[in-house]
Amino acid sequence: TTTYYMLKKFRKFITSSNWHVIYHPVLFNNLNQFSLTNSSYDDNYILLYGRMMAGKGEDVLIKALKILKDKGIIYRTIICGPSPNKDYPTNLIKFYGLENQVVYVGSRLDKELAELINRSSIVVIPSTWEEPFAQTAAEAMFFGKIVIASNIGGLAEVVSDFGLLIPTKDPYALAEAIHELMSNRNKREMLGKKAKEYARKVFDPENYIQNYLKAVLK
């Protein structure tokens, strides 16, 4: 299984001592080397990416940004990923009057997405459902980006102590966490470096293969 969170779930229904937890690797169609050899940039924007399905939490992010804007604090934000309702992210942005600071760019191919991650300041994943794993978090950390994530499901396990975990569905907590990091570049660079070191070790494809072979051949 992909996380200890899911292992706990499975054990409620299937009794077995032969369970193995193997984290998914970061692949990006052979663009891993991109994240390892290129310097991380910081173009001073927040990134939320992934499939914009129910439970992704883009509404929580938008509300958090509105809370900050009402205090005179404005951060540029990019939302990226396919949406079953292509108008929903844009309409949500307009509803809260954030058109001048938030943009929804739709889907992006691997190379474009890698560049968006590499140039972001932080990655936000305010999911409201219990994700079995959190590929976006692993990818962002692989690029040395600090992740702010909901303290729920496999997402919390992937981020662990190498990001900021916040209560689910709490835009005020998210707003506070965003401002804490966006107003302190040194802090996010320091935390991002630790996240990258961890991710390169835990989510490395070679590590995945070795763990898989150990489980199969045991």
Side-chain angles (χ1 to χ4, degrees), residues 40-43 120-122 143-146 180-182 184-197:
S40 290
Y41 297 94
D42 189 333
D43 283 355
S120 66
S121 301
I122 59 174
F143 277 77
K145 300 302 172 180
I146 188 69
E180 177 185 342
L181 291 178
M182 291 299 289
N184 190 335
R185 183 167 185 153
N186 288 336
K187 182 172 184 176
R188 62 179 186 260
E189 286 181 352
M190 178 186 68
L191 294 175
K193 183 179 179 181
K194 292 180 179 179
K196 184 172 185 176
E197 290 172 353

Side-chain angles (χ1 to χ4, degrees), residues 9 13 57-58 64 73 79 82 97 106 114-115 119 133 148 156 206:
K9 292 278 188 182
F13 304 99
E58 63 270 32
I73 304 169
I79 298 176
E115 193 66 37
R119 291 187 174 276
F133 188 69
I148 301 175
E206 183 61 31

Side-chain angles (χ1 to χ4, degrees), residues 89-106:
T90 301
N91 289 339
L92 190 65
I93 292 166
K94 289 181 178 178
F95 180 81
Y96 284 95
L98 300 175
E99 302 97 316
N100 292 330
Q101 70 180 93
V102 184
V103 59
Y104 171 60
V105 298

Side-chain angles (χ1 to χ4, degrees), residues 20-213:
H20 298 275
V21 174
I22 304 175
Y23 290 135
H24 284 308
V26 173
L27 294 175
F28 264 119
N29 289 344
N30 298 321
L31 281 174
N32 289 340
Q33 198 61 32
F34 176 93
S35 69
L36 300 180
T37 59
N38 285 262
S39 299
S40 290
Y41 297 94
D42 189 333
D43 283 355
N44 202 40
Y45 66 83
I46 299 161
L47 177 65
L48 165 63
Y49 77 98
R51 293 183 181 88
M52 296 298 121
M53 56 186 182
K56 192 64 181 178
E58 63 270 32
D59 57 325
V60 182
L61 173 59
I62 294 298
K63 290 174 184 176
L65 293 171
K66 181 64 166 65
I67 290 168
L68 290 170
K69 182 182 178 182
D70 288 344
K71 296 179 180 180
I73 304 169
I74 296 176
Y75 294 119
R76 191 161 59 101
T77 302
I78 295 175
I79 298 176
C80 173
S83 173
N85 182 348
K86 295 181 180 180
D87 294 329
Y88 174 70
T90 301
N91 289 339
L92 190 65
I93 292 166
K94 289 181 178 178
F95 180 81
Y96 284 95
L98 300 175
E99 302 97 316
N100 292 330
Q101 70 180 93
V102 184
V103 59
Y104 171 60
V105 298
S107 299
R108 288 294 182 268
L109 298 176
D110 272 359
K111 191 170 184 178
E112 294 174 287
L113 179 57
E115 193 66 37
L116 277 176
I117 299 170
N118 198 45
R119 291 187 174 276
S120 66
S121 301
I122 59 174
V123 172
V124 175
I125 311 174
S127 296
T128 60
W129 74 293
E130 298 183 3
E131 298 188 39
F133 188 69
Q135 192 69 25
T136 53
E139 290 167 354
M141 293 163 68
F142 207 89
F143 277 77
K145 300 302 172 180
I146 188 69
V147 174
I148 301 175
S150 299
N151 190 9
I152 187 173
L155 172 59
E157 182 179 330
V158 169
V159 174
S160 186
D161 296 326
F162 299 92
L164 295 185
L165 297 176
I166 59 168
T168 309
K169 301 180 182 179
D170 189 339
Y172 289 93
L174 179 55
E176 183 178 344
I178 286 173
H179 186 52
E180 177 185 342
L181 291 178
M182 291 299 289
S183 62
N184 190 335
R185 183 167 185 153
N186 288 336
K187 182 172 184 176
R188 62 179 186 260
E189 286 181 352
M190 178 186 68
L191 294 175
K193 183 179 179 181
K194 292 180 179 179
K196 184 172 185 176
E197 290 172 353
Y198 172 75
R200 284 176 60 177
K201 182 185 299 182
V202 176
F203 307 118
D204 178 71
E206 183 61 31
N207 187 54
Y208 172 82
I209 293 171
Q210 293 302 321
N211 287 336
Y212 182 81
L213 290 175

